[in-house]
Amino acid sequence: MPVRVLIVDDQEPFRMAARMVVDATDGFEMVGEAASGEESVAMAAELNPDLVLMDVNLPGINGLDATRQILAGSNPVVVLLLSTYEQEEYAPRAAECGAAAYIPKAVFGPDRLESAWSAATTA
């Protein structure tokens, strides 16, 4: 069964790029997209994804707060935070909100997606 992915980003160009990464990664399929923190929380509850690719800066509630809300739900899910910010700044924040990892957008690709998923699900 493929890993079901919800992509959350307020920028359409990055959602398109993330879709291409998911499509290019064996064993992963996109099940939905959200453009705000609130929308991501609702869609995570509705779609029950295995993995959420969450932008940090979102309109409404930010990605950190949306991650907390999604992880507080009853469905088991892995959240990976993505942003343009430096890893040194956001990696600790990812851990604080319960995200499995932080990946800078500049290096996000199939290899990073697979390795982050593997690390999160075998830990």
Side-chain angles (χ1 to χ4, degrees):
M1 244 175 94
V3 176
R4 298 167 33 86
V5 182
L6 172 63
I7 297 170
V8 183
D9 199 289
D10 61 327
Q11 301 293 319
E12 174 63 23
F14 186 77
R15 287 196 312 269
M16 288 175 52
R19 271 196 308 270
M20 289 189 296
V21 169
V22 171
D23 289 345
T25 308
D26 287 339
F28 290 76
E29 72 174 4
M30 190 188 84
V31 295
E33 293 182 21
S36 72
E38 291 85 355
E39 190 179 10
S40 73
V41 173
M43 290 186 77
E46 176 187 330
L47 299 173
N48 194 21
D50 303 306
L51 175 64
V52 177
L53 302 176
M54 177 73 72
D55 185 26
V56 172
N57 282 333
L58 295 168
I61 62 172
N62 66 35
L64 302 172
D65 290 334
T67 296
R68 287 183 189 95
Q69 289 184 32
I70 289 169
L71 294 174
S74 59
N75 299 328
V77 63
V78 171
V79 179
L80 300 178
L81 285 182
L82 302 167
S83 185
T84 56
Y85 295 114
E86 293 298 318
Q87 185 157 356
E88 296 77 26
E89 180 181 352
Y90 271 89
R93 290 183 174 185
E96 288 170 10
C97 71
Y102 173 79
I103 302 172
K105 286 182 177 179
V107 299
F108 180 65
D111 292 345
R112 291 296 290 265
L113 177 58
E114 286 179 320
S115 64
W117 173 256
S118 179
T121 56
T122 58

